[in-house]
Amino acid sequence: MDQDALKKGVAQAAIDALRAHPTDQLVLGVGTGSTTEYFIHGLADIRDRIDVTVSSSDRSTALLEALGFKVVDLNAAPRVDLYVDGADEANHRLQLIKGGGAALTREKIVAAVAERFICIADESKRVDTLGAFPLPVEVIPMARSHVARELVNLGGQPVWREDVITDNGNIILDVHGLRIDAPLETERHINDVTGVVSNGLFAMRPADELLLGTQQGVISITA
Ligand code: 5RP
């Protein structure tokens, strides 16, 4: 099976998990990215179980609305029962690198509110140590050079994703060359740099469950 087929399979497994969820009035948090887009398309099959959705990006909002789902502002949501989203890397503690699609800040906010976070990913995303995937950092534009110097001091090589402005009007620096042995500390350290909005490490709020699409089928890993 190619990577796309694995993504479709794991998205379908998340749909099956939602079908079995005890609540039929789900307030569903929806992530961003190609795996999540397969999931969004699959939601049409379980429409009756979903009350409203909360989205982590303008792109996912547009797709959800095109399929007829109600998308509410997080501030207006009574709660978020479940958040389903992809990842760029996941370690054995279900700590993640996210933000390949530049939606990391909103993804982090929805994940922070969610009762349960199910990460959906194909097996290529599973790693022993985070950091081979360049770590995305969302930065206030005027702080770009300052933040880049601080990231170099941390041992990384930041590269400005020049063609991207986030949904929040900011820029992304992708930090190459970091071997992240202590994800919690690295997440906090980068957050402390003035001008950083957020970074793509999900260590303070890891996933609760990782559904991993493998050649042998979808496996569920819990922390
Ligand atoms: C977007 C993300 C995505 O979840 C991550 O990049 C994985 O994307 P894909 O499912 O396309 O491989 O964090 O900001």
Side-chain angles (χ1 to χ4, degrees):
M1 259 187 284
D2 65 8
Q3 190 184 22
D4 233 37
L6 295 178
K7 287 182 180 191
K8 278 184 198 162
V10 79
Q12 183 56 49
I15 295 292
D16 295 341
L18 261 65
R19 201 177 262 122
H21 196 275
T23 315
D24 66 354
Q25 288 291 297
L26 272 174
V27 181
L28 178 67
V30 179
T32 300
S34 57
T35 316
T36 304
E37 286 187 14
Y38 288 127
F39 169 73
I40 294 174
H41 284 288
L43 286 175
D45 293 342
I46 52 162
R47 195 178 289 279
D48 54 333
R49 301 197 61 80
I50 296 163
D51 182 11
V52 291
T53 65
V54 172
S55 168
S56 66
S57 65
D58 292 346
R59 188 180 163 92
S60 291
T61 299
L63 190 51
L64 284 161
E65 288 181 339
L67 290 167
F69 290 97
K70 186 170 176 195
V71 183
V72 297
D73 186 286
L74 181 60
N75 295 302
R79 62 188 187 279
V80 177
D81 298 309
L82 266 178
Y83 178 52
V84 179
D85 196 1
D88 300 300
E89 284 187 349
N91 71 11
H92 68 285
R93 290 186 170 166
L94 309 193
Q95 297 168 319
L96 313 171
I97 286 184
K98 292 186 42 54
L104 58 150
T105 300
R106 295 187 187 192
E107 291 173 340
K108 242 182 193 184
I109 294 168
V110 183
V113 173
E115 193 70 31
R116 186 167 177 78
F117 174 13
I118 300 178
C119 181
I120 52 175
D122 66 86
E123 62 190 354
S124 71
K125 310 294 183 68
R126 179 77 178 80
V127 297
D128 290 328
T129 306
L130 298 170
F133 188 92
L135 178 66
V137 180
E138 180 164 355
V139 177
I140 301 286
M142 72 175 287
R144 190 187 78 237
S145 300
H146 166 67
V147 172
R149 283 190 292 271
E150 294 293 317
L151 292 169
V152 169
N153 289 340
L154 205 71
Q157 295 113 42
V159 176
W160 178 16
R161 216 187 287 179
E162 290 195 55
D163 54 342
V164 168
I165 295 290
T166 70
D167 289 348
N168 312 308
N170 298 312
I171 60 141
I172 297 285
L173 295 176
D174 291 308
V175 192
H176 295 248
L178 287 180
R179 186 192 148 89
I180 305 173
D181 291 313
L184 263 176
E185 287 73 9
T186 304
E187 182 175 4
R188 290 197 181 114
H189 195 117
I190 296 176
N191 281 349
D192 279 351
V193 176
T194 303
V196 166
V197 177
S198 73
N199 71 82
L201 271 170
F202 282 56
M204 291 191 258
R205 201 313 175 209
D208 298 303
E209 180 177 8
L210 172 63
L211 291 176
L212 195 69
T214 77
Q215 296 297 340
Q216 290 73 44
V218 175
I219 56 173
S220 162
I221 303 169
T222 47

